[in-house]
Amino acid sequence: MSWLVNFLTSSIGRKLVMSLSGLFLCFYLIIHVGGNLQLFMDDNGASFNAYAHFMVHNPVIGIVAWITKIAILLHAIQGVLLYFKNRAAKGVTYQVKNKQSSSWQSRNMAFLGTVTLVFIVVHLQNFWWTRHYGTEKPMVEGEEGVVDL
């Protein structure tokens, strides 16, 4: 078991965890956007209501939600640890920066990851936290469609 801990705390192990959590989050994002695109169906929200009902009442979705939260935290923590470990390993900055050998995105990955994390926090605050712990009334589906309680 110590070999696994040693591997996961090595630079390669951290990068593997980072890539797998990032791949999981990309798949999650595709599915999340696909479900939310149901809002554009021309059926007065019936498709989206069915999707929302499925998401709320399926126990597997609750498990996936926790896995997603863990993946976000793991990905962010590993990214910060790798950033500081790589920075400490260099010791000094490069005298000549060869911008042709790397893309703008790869040079600014820490900044872009921080912007993405801020978006996720704001998104969760607006659409999840407010619904669960805010002052908004929960919505239920009645005979007249979706109504406030």
Side-chain angles (χ1 to χ4, degrees), residues 28 31 51-68:
Y28 169 80
I31 293 167
Y51 166 72
H53 185 270
F54 169 78
M55 297 299 281
V56 170
H57 294 91
N58 189 335
V60 175
I61 300 302
I63 295 168
V64 172
W66 277 105
I67 293 170
T68 303

Side-chain angles (χ1 to χ4, degrees), residues 6-26:
N6 288 338
F7 175 71
L8 292 177
T9 56
S10 71
S11 181
I12 297 293
R14 289 179 195 263
K15 289 175 184 176
L16 178 68
V17 169
M18 187 100 179
S19 64
L20 292 176
S21 62
L23 186 61
F24 171 78
L25 292 171
C26 286

Side-chain angles (χ1 to χ4, degrees), residues 37-108:
L37 284 175
Q38 307 232 357
L39 284 169
F40 295 109
M41 299 286 286
D42 191 23
D43 60 359
N44 292 326
S47 297
F48 185 77
N49 284 340
Y51 166 72
H53 185 270
F54 169 78
M55 297 299 281
V56 170
H57 294 91
N58 189 335
V60 175
I61 300 302
I63 295 168
V64 172
W66 277 105
I67 293 170
T68 303
K69 293 170 191 168
I70 292 168
I72 290 169
L73 286 174
L74 190 61
H75 192 79
I77 290 168
Q78 293 290 20
V80 169
L81 291 174
L82 279 169
Y83 173 78
F84 285 115
K85 187 174 182 179
N86 288 342
R87 192 169 179 172
K90 280 196 279 188
V92 295
T93 60
Y94 295 116
Q95 296 297 321
V96 177
K97 293 189 182 210
N98 186 0
K99 291 188 177 186
Q100 295 174 344
S101 65
S102 63
S103 66
W104 181 87
Q105 293 85 351
S106 66
R107 289 190 307 271
N108 295 291

